[in-house]
Amino acid sequence: MSGNDNFAITGVPTTAGPDGSVPLRRELRDLQKNYPDQFNLYILGLKNLESVDEAQLTSYYQIAGIHGLPFKPWNGVGSNTDWQDTDGFGGYCTHSSILFTTWHRPYMALYEQSLYISVQQVARQFPEGSVRDKYVAAAQDFRAPYFDWASQPPAGSPAFPTALSSATIQVVDVDGKTKAINNPLYQFTFHPLNPSRGDFTAQWNRYPTTVRYPNRTTGKSQDSRIAPILANELASLRSNVGLLLLSYHNFDAFSFNRWDPNTNPGEYGSLEDVHNEIHDRTGGGGHMSSLEVSAFDPLFWLHHFNVDRLWAIWQDLNPDSFMSPKPAPYSTFSFEGGESQDKDSALTPFWDKSGTKFWTSDQIKDGTIFGSAYPETQKWKYNSTEEYQAALRQNVTALYGTNVFTNFVANIANQPPPTQLLAATVEKKEDNKEAAVKAPAPALAATQLAVRSISAKPEHAEAQKPLVPKATEEGPIPASLAHLAPGNKYTEWIVNVRAEKHGLGQSFRLLVFLGAFNPDPESWDLEFNCVGRVSVLGRNHETKCSKCRVDTANGLMVSGTVPLTSALLQDIVAGQVPSLKPEDVVPYLRENLAWKVSLFSGEEKNVLDVPGLEVSVASTEVTIGEDGLPNYSGQYQVHPEVTQGKPAGHGRVDDA
């Protein structure tokens, strides 16, 4: 605490090395495999933090509560203001606003700051001697890890790490003995239970712990459902992240998902849009699915550290682009409705290191401000900004497959035969009902989408003798696929979606299909031909979130993007479409592209009942350089002939 009792957000106290180096936040699986002592401290430190009395300001419970429920002022910020309405305190929400990415950075720093203190406490509890010395040394450079949900999982590993999905986990405890303990990453246990506090609504009071994909009858988590769902749309997710990092150069477009009529067809996506998708796909109707309670799930923090990492990478690639002023949609502790929000706006309730004023976006633009960096952002290792940025682009391409051709070849390196994929099913059990859903087995997470269409239509693929490129092919474009990019140029394809965020009074998703699919909405998460989604985290009229109520009244529109090129390439190889050229792709999409809307409850919603919903298709030219990196033209063409006449489809009249 500062002298005036304002809790200062400092991050982890750090003295940078002579070259400017700071300790790294590491990917969860990397931390577990290659830094076992720090991983051990992470588990024990998080367990310790989660057990802190909920009445304490820096308890896990109170830090998580800043994000939404129980909608109580944190550290006194906002408790004595005149902007509160009759429903009381309205929260600190910055979703779908210019402050979305920046507000979460000091929030993550507060969590890391508290976790770091907990880790130091745990390290000093080990028996005196070499064991304690080892853990005390490991604790010094400890930083909170992230979960990179968009990169290929390690070979043989599920898309959702077992460290997150297992109810128990093996540790070396502070007594020096190896034992299994309740896994603090699996769930957070409320203490005392919510019903005794009255902090939560009836919807959430029923759960003594956080849950993921809760069983509709028992309320118990079904974490085993997450890995295959993450795997099924991994190609789309990777492409989306790659597009954001390499083709977006405007901070406003990159960072948040608010849509307006002037939105460029190439800027419907955003980091917030991708972020929403992970809340949807990992929550399944549990805490991660709802922004009002998502921060109580331990997964939230690993998710948001990855969001912060992606912003750090993008910002270092685009150092001269930052937020442009936007009018505040409503009044808060810090600004009046209509007043400009910009880089100097206060990020409440986060006091800066002095404890006398709030952090601003301009102050925290540098990703190392809180004493941490990421494996990709170690800029001190490079002799120049140009060298550093070139390495960043190479890393992005390697991680997220932005060269669609080399990525496709890499994906089939260890691809089992299509017949083996066809035999794979996932048994989904829900409410004592069993349904065999055609889907890739979790072990095939890294490669299953390479033969998506072959698997969907094996008889057609057999008749066309599909081309299968060799995994050993090298070069910026593998020789067997070079005809698809004459002169190293090809056409990139995307689906754009926009809709009224709170129009349904709840969250929903639009799923995009390329080819036939099961009409049962319960199967859509695992459909071979589901090529991506846009998740909209809406709220109902009873929410205590002041910003959300104003956004509802104003009919706030949001947007998102689903990349198609990877799926189209699979269909080309399967012999279903000749090329990526518009003359081939447009009629193919006209016949095979479809979309459906489902609520987070799993119920289908008629697309025509979604206020403001419009789906369009756009394309742009991309050149693959000799270094294998994509260069995007930035000029997008909308193709109304694909979607015109389809429910909620964009038509020619919309371009008039």
Side-chain angles (χ1 to χ4, degrees):
M1 302 286 287
S2 63
N4 56 11
D5 292 333
N6 294 330
F7 188 89
I9 312 301
T10 63
V12 177
T14 305
T15 300
D19 58 356
S21 60
V22 293
L24 302 182
R25 294 170 178 160
R26 301 187 184 277
E27 211 279 336
L28 176 66
R29 289 160 291 197
D30 176 44
L31 186 72
Q32 184 175 18
K33 179 181 179 180
N34 298 314
Y35 303 88
D37 294 339
Q38 287 192 340
F39 180 79
N40 194 75
L41 288 171
Y42 171 48
I43 297 299
L44 295 177
L46 180 58
K47 181 174 182 288
N48 183 52
L49 179 61
E50 289 181 1
S51 69
V52 173
D53 187 339
E54 293 178 358
Q56 291 192 27
L57 186 67
T58 56
S59 66
Y60 183 94
Y61 182 86
Q62 287 218 21
I63 293 173
I66 293 171
H67 201 258
L69 284 168
F71 285 103
K72 294 181 178 180
W74 186 79
N75 196 24
V77 177
S79 60
N80 296 307
T81 63
D82 57 8
W83 61 273
Q84 299 171 19
D85 57 27
T86 56
D87 292 327
F89 177 67
Y92 307 107
C93 177
T94 61
H95 297 94
S96 301
S97 89
I98 193 67
L99 303 179
F100 166 71
T101 50
T102 57
W103 182 89
H104 281 85
R105 179 162 285 174
Y107 189 33
M108 295 300 103
L110 168 61
Y111 167 84
E112 186 174 48
Q113 183 175 333
S114 300
L115 178 61
Y116 180 84
I117 292 172
S118 182
V119 163
Q120 306 309 306
Q121 293 171 345
V122 166
R124 291 192 292 269
Q125 292 175 27
F126 280 88
E128 288 189 29
S130 60
V131 174
R132 179 187 293 182
D133 293 344
K134 177 179 72 169
Y135 283 110
V136 167
Q140 293 307 305
D141 285 343
F142 172 82
R143 297 295 186 271
Y146 62 93
F147 166 38
D148 185 4
W149 24 255
S151 63
Q152 292 280 19
S157 301
F160 193 61
T162 55
L164 293 168
S165 63
S166 299
T168 61
I169 194 166
Q170 202 87 353
V171 297
V172 177
D173 210 346
V174 293
D175 59 5
K177 298 179 180 178
T178 300
K179 61 184 73 170
I181 64 170
N182 291 332
N183 184 2
L185 289 172
Y186 177 70
Q187 64 187 21
F188 169 65
T189 301
F190 296 97
H191 54 92
L193 299 182
N194 290 319
S196 67
R197 298 178 60 96
D199 279 356
F200 287 2
T201 60
Q203 176 185 2
W204 301 109
N205 269 341
R206 62 177 292 210
Y207 298 112
T209 69
T210 55
V211 291
R212 302 167 193 152
Y213 284 86
N215 181 285
R216 293 173 186 169
T217 301
T218 66
K220 293 183 178 179
S221 284
Q222 301 178 104
D223 283 50
S224 61
R225 294 184 59 183
I226 301 176
I229 289 172
L230 283 178
N232 197 50
E233 298 167 44
L234 182 60
S236 171
L237 180 61
R238 296 180 72 221
S239 295
N240 222 344
V241 170
L243 282 171
L244 284 169
L245 293 177
L246 296 188
S247 74
Y248 283 54
H249 302 289
N250 178 280
F251 177 87
D252 296 358
F254 165 82
S255 62
F256 71 111
N257 67 350
R258 182 187 293 265
W259 178 89
D260 68 53
N262 296 317
T263 300
N264 185 294
E267 295 180 337
Y268 270 57
S270 66
L271 184 58
E272 184 174 14
D273 169 44
V274 173
H275 146 276
N276 290 349
E277 182 180 335
I278 300 304
H279 274 283
D280 173 15
R281 293 209 274 157
T282 60
H287 289 74
M288 273 293 284
S289 300
S290 171
L291 294 179
E292 296 193 344
V293 293
S294 58
F296 291 97
D297 188 326
L299 171 61
F300 172 92
W301 306 98
L302 291 113
H303 167 42
H304 265 278
F305 276 117
N306 194 45
V307 172
D308 184 82
R309 165 180 162 268
L310 295 175
W311 171 34
I313 292 171
W314 183 92
Q315 194 68 73
D316 283 354
L317 285 171
N318 302 272
D320 296 327
S321 179
F322 203 42
M323 62 179 61
S324 56
K326 303 287 183 184
Y330 67 112
S331 299
T332 71
F333 180 77
S334 306
F335 37 76
E336 298 293 329
E339 181 183 340
S340 178
Q341 285 182 327
D342 57 27
K343 62 184 179 63
D344 297 316
S345 296
L347 302 177
T348 53
F350 308 120
W351 298 100
D352 70 6
K353 294 179 181 180
S354 71
T356 61
K357 56 185 182 297
F358 296 111
W359 284 105
T360 68
S361 298
D362 192 51
Q363 290 175 314
I364 55 87
K365 180 182 176 184
D366 181 352
T368 64
I369 186 67
F370 291 113
S372 306
Y374 297 98
E376 300 82 7
T377 62
Q378 300 178 69
K379 62 184 71 176
W380 54 86
K381 288 187 171 184
Y382 301 91
N383 296 320
S384 66
T385 299
E386 292 74 17
E387 182 183 339
Y388 169 52
Q389 291 180 335
L392 281 177
R393 285 188 285 270
Q394 290 283 2
N395 281 328
V396 168
T397 296
L399 282 169
Y400 305 118
T402 53
N403 182 327
V404 294
F405 301 105
T406 56
N407 180 57
F408 181 80
V409 169
N411 277 353
I412 65 172
N414 298 303
Q415 181 68 52
T419 52
Q420 186 173 331
L421 281 174
L422 285 171
T425 59
V426 173
E427 295 294 327
K428 183 171 65 175
K429 300 180 180 180
E430 178 73 34
D431 297 337
N432 299 319
K433 298 178 182 179
E434 296 188 7
V437 180
K438 183 73 68 178
L444 304 176
T447 57
Q448 52 91 6
L449 281 169
V451 290
R452 175 188 56 81
S453 294
I454 297 176
S455 300
K457 300 180 180 179
E459 69 288 348
H460 180 78
E462 180 68 25
Q464 295 297 315
K465 296 182 180 179
L467 165 70
V468 179
K470 297 178 181 178
T472 55
E473 294 184 78
E474 298 179 354
I477 301 178
S480 61
L481 301 177
H483 66 287
L484 299 176
N488 283 16
K489 297 180 185 293
Y490 74 95
T491 305
E492 182 86 24
W493 294 87
I494 59 174
V495 172
N496 284 331
V497 178
R498 52 99 157 161
E500 189 175 325
K501 181 174 181 178
H502 305 291
L504 292 181
Q506 58 185 307
S507 295
F508 62 95
R509 63 182 73 88
L510 182 140
L511 297 118
V512 176
F513 301 92
L514 191 54
F517 59 94
N518 190 325
D520 179 7
E522 290 288 335
S523 74
W524 291 346
D525 280 330
L526 295 173
E527 279 289 335
F528 275 146
N529 285 337
C530 180
V531 296
R533 71 179 65 195
V534 172
S535 301
V536 180
L537 304 183
R539 315 227 190 159
N540 63 37
H541 68 280
E542 296 180 348
T543 180
K544 292 184 178 180
C545 171
S546 293
K547 178 183 183 301
C548 304
R549 291 199 298 269
V550 173
D551 286 345
T552 300
N554 292 338
L556 170 70
M557 299 289 290
V558 295
S559 64
T561 290
V562 174
L564 288 178
T565 309
S566 178
L568 286 169
L569 185 58
Q570 295 152 21
D571 291 356
I572 290 170
V573 171
Q576 297 178 350
V577 60
S579 76
L580 290 170
K581 296 177 181 179
E583 57 264 35
D584 294 323
V585 172
V586 166
Y588 183 72
L589 293 180
R590 177 69 190 173
E591 181 180 353
N592 293 285
L593 187 69
W595 51 87
K596 291 286 186 178
V597 169
S598 68
L599 306 177
F600 279 21
S601 63
E603 173 191 349
E604 181 179 0
K605 190 72 175 178
N606 190 319
V607 295
L608 296 177
D609 293 335
V610 181
L613 178 63
E614 183 179 89
V615 180
S616 59
V617 170
S619 66
T620 189
E621 185 177 86
V622 182
T623 302
I624 301 294
E626 289 304 315
D627 57 2
L629 302 183
N631 297 298
Y632 300 87
S633 71
Q635 301 299 314
Y636 278 79
Q637 179 182 353
V638 178
H639 299 275
E641 61 271 36
V642 173
T643 51
Q644 184 170 7
K646 295 186 178 185
H650 174 85
R652 295 182 190 276
V653 67
D654 300 304
D655 291 329

